[in-house]
Amino acid sequence: MNKWGKLSLGMLLAVGLLSGCGQNKNDSDTAASGNATNGGATKKLTMGTSADFPPYEFHKVVDGKDTIVGFDIDIAKEIAADMGAELVIKDLPFDSLLNELSSGRVDIVISGLSPTEERKKAVDLSDIYYKAEQAIVVREADKDKYATMDAVKGTKIGVQTGSIQEEIAKGIEGAKITSLGKISEIVLQLQSNRVDTAIIEGPVAKSFVKNVPGLVITDAKPEVEDDGYAIGIKKGNKELLDQVNSTLTRLNSEGKIDEYVTAASELADSTK
């Protein structure tokens, strides 16, 4: 599943909006909580996500209200619409998402989820809906110092807990890894010199670098086979899996996902 020079406390809180993981998870839902398989007058599709991953999913003040937005959210809205369901969004720590899915507390997980073999054993995964490269983010003064992956060896690396970036870091010789729940926390570690480098998914890294003075993306490129991102569904729920894949097929054929990525990237970069 990026991330201003030295931040004032107020600015830091603004960054924190990009990661709703600090909220009470029972109170951070968008719309009333529910489940797509429950009976009742209104069918609900509950999406689990970790909203600190712009432009995929992040917090933004819209019409004076803190709102979870991003292109993963746009995709989820389309899935719910095709089902005739109301979308419910639960903002959760990234490393808890698959447990929430397996337990039935959420129906789908959309959060820049890489289809690893381990995840395939735990949950069903949709068709790939987007692919992106990984990036090495450093302090501006260190851009040339860490311009290659060889230079990154032996450094203190910040990554998000439970992410594909954490797995990449584990494969870097001599790496001293700091794993944290929120990408904004990784940025703070980088700014305060507690880590030397950070591995962040490409579009997310670009979003943070545009909004955080003093951080840059180096020329170093993590060597990783990018299988892209998929949507998680509870094991055995073939009906929902088929519906999700049907919506993804439609969105790709209409060119909608690329449109969503562009719009969400512009929104993430906006200071409004």
Side-chain angles (χ1 to χ4, degrees), residues 153-173:
K153 293 178 180 178
T155 63
K156 293 178 285 186
I157 304 175
V159 292
Q160 188 174 41
T161 304
S163 68
I164 191 67
Q165 292 79 26
E166 185 177 48
E167 293 304 310
I168 294 170
K170 289 176 180 178
I172 295 175
E173 183 181 331

Side-chain angles (χ1 to χ4, degrees), residues 91-182:
D91 185 9
L92 302 159
F94 184 82
D95 58 355
S96 73
L97 289 173
L98 295 191
N99 286 336
E100 292 291 304
L101 183 60
S102 295
S103 70
R105 287 188 286 270
V106 300
D107 301 307
I108 59 174
V109 165
I110 315 183
S111 197
L113 197 66
S114 300
T116 64
E117 291 304 315
E118 183 179 2
R119 287 170 181 163
K120 289 177 183 178
K121 294 175 184 177
V123 300
D124 286 335
L125 294 169
S126 73
D127 297 336
I128 299 301
Y129 67 89
Y130 187 70
K131 290 188 176 184
E133 64 182 17
Q134 306 298 320
I136 301 293
V137 179
V138 300
R139 293 176 292 276
E140 190 169 14
D142 293 334
K143 181 177 181 179
D144 294 334
K145 182 178 179 180
Y146 300 120
T148 68
M149 288 308 297
D150 278 341
V152 175
K153 293 178 180 178
T155 63
K156 293 178 285 186
I157 304 175
V159 292
Q160 188 174 41
T161 304
S163 68
I164 191 67
Q165 292 79 26
E166 185 177 48
E167 293 304 310
I168 294 170
K170 289 176 180 178
I172 295 175
E173 183 181 331
K176 304 170 185 67
I177 302 170
T178 297
S179 299
L180 298 167
K182 306 174 187 177

Side-chain angles (χ1 to χ4, degrees), residues 160-224:
Q160 188 174 41
T161 304
S163 68
I164 191 67
Q165 292 79 26
E166 185 177 48
E167 293 304 310
I168 294 170
K170 289 176 180 178
I172 295 175
E173 183 181 331
K176 304 170 185 67
I177 302 170
T178 297
S179 299
L180 298 167
K182 306 174 187 177
I183 295 177
S184 56
E185 292 176 340
I186 298 168
V187 169
L188 290 177
Q189 292 281 314
L190 195 56
Q191 289 180 303
S192 60
N193 296 296
R194 290 193 285 269
V195 299
D196 304 309
T197 60
I199 304 176
I200 303 172
E201 198 270 351
V204 184
K206 290 176 183 177
S207 178
F208 273 96
V209 164
K210 284 183 179 180
N211 288 288
V212 183
L215 297 185
V216 295
I217 296 171
T218 76
D219 292 332
K221 300 294 183 185
E223 295 181 8
V224 58

